Amino acid sequence: MMWKRQNPAYLIAHTIKLLSAWAALSGPVIGLYLLYTADRSLSAVVVIAAAAALIIIAAITAWSRNRWRLGRSLALRRGVLTTITCILRRHSFTAAEIKRSPFLSLFGSVRISLYTHADSRKNASCSALTVKRDTARQLAGRLMPIDKGYTREYRARRGELFLLALSQSDFLSGLLLSIPLLSWATRHIDRNLSARIYTAFESAGQLILPDVSPLYSAFALIPAAGWLTHTVYSLFAFGRFRYVRSGGSIMTGRGIIVRKTLTFPVDAVTAIESRRTLLTGMLHRESCRAIIPGAGSCLLLPPTDRRSSVIETAAIFPHGEASMRIDTADCTRWWRWWGTAGAALLIISVRIALTAGRWRELLLLLLIPAVSVLFWRTLVGADAGKKAGIRLFSDSVEITGVRGLSTYRLRVLRGCIAEIKLTQNIFQQSAGLCSVYIRPHGALHGLRCCHMPMSRCMSLIGRLG
Amino acid sequence: MACGVPQKCSGRYTHLIRAYIISVCTVLISAAFLVAVSIGTAVYILPAALTAGSLLAAITLPDLYVSGLTYTRHRNWLMIERGLIFRQTLLIPRRQIQYIRLCRGPAERIFGLATLVFMTSAGKVSMHGLDPVEAERLRRLLERTE
């Protein structure tokens, strides 16, 4: 087999990446130099042009040396001075992801990432290739063949996608996403955009909170704006979601502008995670994700009704015979502490609101979100408390608990448990309780179930062994 | 090391922990003393309290910590129990152990100790304070295919 080069789209993307990294690192230094020395001579321009040319030559050399070959195994070769050849055996692949972006579509190419049995995505860059669309399809077909068996296709409805976007958005990610967008829009569309947005926030804030000063009322709207931005981004990222199960293979596709198609065999799935937020819980729905070593967590189903989710996940992990169940009243008791803390903070907030101190508005701005989060956590804890526990099946373990502000149910195959941790603080030691943490192979985070009886947990571990 | 029997780590590990506590506290006490001298007042209560606290910690903590540090080799699992205030029981499936490294730093060589580092699919797990012969034996036992 001949060594093949990657598509020229990779060269252009790589050059832009290198040039922007160089501009970000050396731009301020060059800018300051030109500002203070007032050097407008030709030599300064020549030096900058030479540096840019050097970067372009380096990118071309790297691209020409970056080659791949598919024989009995996939071989990837890269490096200019030191050549690195990476050989990946066919049976070591767990998933293949084809990414199609508008930029790559201009060249008729796609980016294919091949994931192996690694713990994280950090080794993925080694096995990502930019190739023609047909080549990518052939490559994925040969490395990750799709079984021609019983086929079931599921397309997410608009309402489900909206619920998914709404339930998995957070304002911090939205704010982080909006910073580059805002800076780009300020530079290219309107120089006074930031000032205009602030004025709009101020006037909207004054309508909602007329007694608060304009600055604080504008700040109060920032979390809502961040949340909205992330929701819109999630709608684009998960739009046109499609799930196809064909025989022993699963294929998921998502994204409106950047389309990502992930293919993986059912055997590669180590765990299935179901998530219930307060909103989806009220609508009796839950979303499901599959844990795949190397590729991480992949969305299987957007918030659908519990029955459909159970049927669909049972097709991937058929339920074995249940042999043990641990759930205790103790795990429902502790959410009350969050509620007590929230109530205490609420009383303090009301007292502050009634006084006319100097820091009144700032304190209220900090306390109101804290009270909201604590009450939210209380409600999630109360909801999860009814279901929290561990169930042992003949082939798997199911753990239900709270992570962040959502209730999760994690079902791990017995042979795919990477770690079990039992933790006891001094209060739990005296009460004979413990917190159980189970992490499946290939997942970044596991799930913790708090305040379980230590003796029963030890007997569960004995049965697992 | 029998299967299913909890094992204690080496008694010399208490000396190593004691040495660590004393060295960290010496730095802290010296810094507190320098601050007290530079202030120029007779505020020596902070260095004195630190000295007393570190002495108490160096005497009591290592023995308590080491007495609670056990490891058990089961047929399919390796169980490590550790911690004083937050007691932790860690279970590592044997089939998830990718490789085992036996480490002996300068301080450990002085005290005649060894550390076993397990690289698992969940990350790195270290087992400190082992006797070198025992550590080597445990490594061989765990590397043996089931």
Side-chain angles (χ1 to χ4, degrees):
Chain A
M1 290 292 289
M2 293 285 289
W3 285 97
K4 291 174 189 169
R5 277 202 190 105
Q6 292 196 46
N7 194 274
Y10 171 75
L11 168 66
I12 296 166
H14 193 58
T15 312
I16 292 169
K17 209 186 288 175
L18 282 178
L19 280 173
S20 39
W22 173 68
L25 288 172
S26 61
V29 179
I30 293 168
L32 281 173
Y33 170 76
L34 291 175
L35 196 73
Y36 284 104
T37 57
D39 186 3
R40 303 283 184 274
S41 65
L42 195 65
S43 59
V45 179
V46 168
V47 168
I48 294 166
L54 205 68
I55 286 168
I56 293 166
I57 290 165
I60 293 170
T61 318
W63 170 72
S64 65
R65 303 283 300 207
N66 198 330
R67 295 174 186 213
W68 63 278
R69 187 173 71 176
L70 181 67
R72 283 185 179 175
S73 53
L74 179 73
L76 301 155
R77 184 176 281 177
R78 64 191 158 93
V80 180
L81 297 172
T82 310
T83 309
I84 300 161
T85 309
C86 184
I87 294 163
L88 301 156
R89 284 177 292 172
R90 278 190 187 197
H91 63 81
S92 65
F93 291 110
T94 53
E97 188 184 65
I98 295 175
K99 182 181 159 189
R100 201 179 68 207
S101 66
F103 174 74
L104 290 172
S105 297
L106 287 175
F107 298 87
S109 61
V110 290
R111 189 146 179 86
I112 178 165
S113 302
L114 297 153
Y115 299 108
T116 53
H117 270 286
D119 191 42
S120 65
R121 281 187 174 227
K122 66 184 173 192
N123 296 331
S125 59
C126 162
S127 49
L129 295 166
T130 306
V131 286
K132 285 271 177 200
R133 208 175 291 172
D134 295 336
T135 318
R137 264 192 222 126
Q138 283 169 9
L139 203 62
R142 284 180 69 182
L143 295 171
M144 205 65 59
I146 294 174
D147 292 348
K148 300 285 178 206
Y150 167 76
T151 305
R152 162 151 165 69
E153 188 174 347
Y154 177 84
R155 280 174 196 273
R157 294 181 196 95
R158 277 181 195 169
E160 289 170 352
L161 283 175
F162 187 68
L163 263 181
L164 176 76
L166 209 63
S167 61
Q168 71 162 26
S169 303
D170 63 283
F171 80 93
L172 271 178
S173 309
L175 288 179
L176 285 174
L177 275 170
S178 55
I179 289 166
L181 269 176
L182 199 64
S183 87
W184 180 84
T186 312
R187 267 188 279 121
H188 296 97
I189 299 169
D190 187 358
R191 286 195 173 275
N192 298 322
L193 190 71
S194 306
R196 281 187 190 186
I197 289 172
Y198 174 72
T199 318
F201 268 46
E202 215 176 54
S203 50
Q206 282 293 291
L207 280 174
I208 302 162
L209 305 162
D211 295 339
V212 183
S213 71
L215 178 74
Y216 289 125
S217 63
F219 267 107
L221 284 183
I222 286 177
W227 202 342
L228 196 70
T229 314
H230 197 212
T231 306
V232 172
Y233 171 80
S234 302
L235 275 174
F236 277 104
F238 290 97
R240 287 167 56 211
F241 178 81
R242 187 170 159 242
Y243 160 85
V244 182
R245 180 163 50 81
S246 177
S249 308
I250 292 172
M251 195 181 80
T252 62
R254 65 180 176 95
I256 294 172
I257 297 170
V258 178
R259 186 95 187 139
K260 288 179 179 175
T261 311
L262 188 80
T263 315
F264 56 91
V266 172
D267 301 341
V269 179
T270 57
I272 287 190
E273 193 178 68
S274 307
R275 181 178 181 238
R276 248 169 78 109
T277 58
L278 272 185
L279 181 68
T280 55
M282 277 191 283
L283 299 166
H284 302 288
R285 284 165 182 264
E286 60 182 27
S287 58
C288 288
R289 282 177 171 271
I291 310 287
I292 310 153
S297 156
C298 151
L299 182 75
L300 277 184
L301 290 174
T304 47
D305 59 295
R306 177 99 209 277
R307 190 181 147 78
S308 308
S309 141
V310 167
I311 291 169
E312 204 50 57
T313 51
I316 300 167
F317 275 7
H319 269 281
E321 194 187 334
S323 59
M324 194 176 178
R325 187 189 172 101
I326 309 175
D327 49 357
T328 165
D330 289 305
C331 56
T332 62
R333 196 190 299 159
W334 290 80
W335 58 264
R336 292 172 198 168
W337 290 106
W338 296 90
T340 313
L345 272 186
L346 186 68
I347 293 165
I348 295 167
S349 308
V350 170
R351 287 296 299 270
I352 289 169
L354 292 173
T355 54
R358 193 182 163 193
W359 301 100
R360 176 179 161 259
E361 286 171 337
L362 184 66
L363 281 171
L364 281 178
L365 204 70
L366 294 170
L367 281 173
I368 290 167
V371 171
S372 317
V373 167
L374 283 170
F375 277 126
W376 196 329
R377 182 67 178 74
T378 310
L379 289 173
V380 172
D383 176 51
K386 285 184 268 174
K387 302 169 190 75
I390 305 172
R391 288 173 78 189
L392 183 70
F393 294 95
S394 58
D395 59 341
S396 59
V397 184
E398 190 180 273
I399 177 165
T400 310
V402 179
R403 192 167 68 208
L405 293 172
S406 310
T407 308
Y408 286 86
R409 197 177 71 243
L410 185 76
R411 191 141 173 260
V412 195
L413 279 180
R414 274 186 178 204
C416 297
I417 298 171
E419 182 185 32
I420 296 182
K421 212 187 272 179
L422 308 179
T423 316
Q424 286 181 296
N425 59 32
I426 39 171
F427 304 111
Q428 287 175 325
Q429 279 173 36
S430 58
L433 298 172
C434 68
S435 300
V436 185
Y437 174 84
I438 296 180
R439 181 171 142 172
H441 174 46
L444 202 61
H445 306 287
L447 193 61
R448 187 184 302 277
C449 189
C450 299
H451 318 297
M452 309 298 285
M454 184 70 178
S455 55
R456 293 208 70 198
C457 288
M458 288 310 284
S459 75
L460 178 125
I461 286 156
R463 285 199 189 193
L464 268 174
Chain B
M1 181 190 176
C3 192
V5 179
Q7 300 284 320
K8 294 269 178 199
C9 67
S10 172
R12 290 189 294 273
Y13 190 40
T14 51
H15 305 316
L16 182 65
I17 300 173
R18 209 161 273 151
Y20 276 135
I21 293 174
I22 288 167
S23 54
V24 169
C25 290
T26 309
V27 173
L28 279 175
I29 292 161
S30 311
F33 188 76
L34 281 172
V35 168
V37 169
S38 64
I39 289 167
T41 57
V43 189
Y44 293 109
I45 193 151
L46 184 66
L50 269 173
T51 313
S54 61
L55 272 173
L56 196 70
I59 292 164
T60 54
L61 282 183
D63 289 314
L64 279 173
Y65 180 76
V66 171
S67 66
L69 182 68
T70 57
Y71 56 94
T72 318
R73 182 177 66 88
H74 292 284
R75 201 165 66 87
N76 295 326
W77 302 81
L78 177 73
M79 187 163 90
I80 303 169
E81 287 172 273
R82 62 188 173 198
L84 270 177
I85 298 163
F86 292 96
R87 189 106 184 105
Q88 203 177 63
T89 309
L90 195 70
L91 286 125
I92 312 160
R94 278 180 66 178
R95 66 168 72 168
Q96 299 289 357
I97 297 173
Q98 284 155 1
Y99 68 87
I100 305 167
R101 211 167 56 197
L102 184 71
C103 300
R104 294 192 75 196
E108 284 173 319
R109 282 207 296 274
I110 292 166
F111 287 97
L113 294 166
T115 299
L116 272 183
V117 181
F118 303 99
M119 283 308 294
T120 69
S121 53
K124 199 160 74 172
V125 180
S126 301
M127 215 160 87
H128 299 279
L130 296 170
D131 186 78
V133 182
E134 184 62 26
E136 183 57 38
R137 209 160 72 89
L138 184 60
R139 187 176 71 86
R140 281 191 192 157
L141 279 169
L142 290 172
E143 275 181 348
R144 196 182 293 168
T145 50
E146 290 164 53

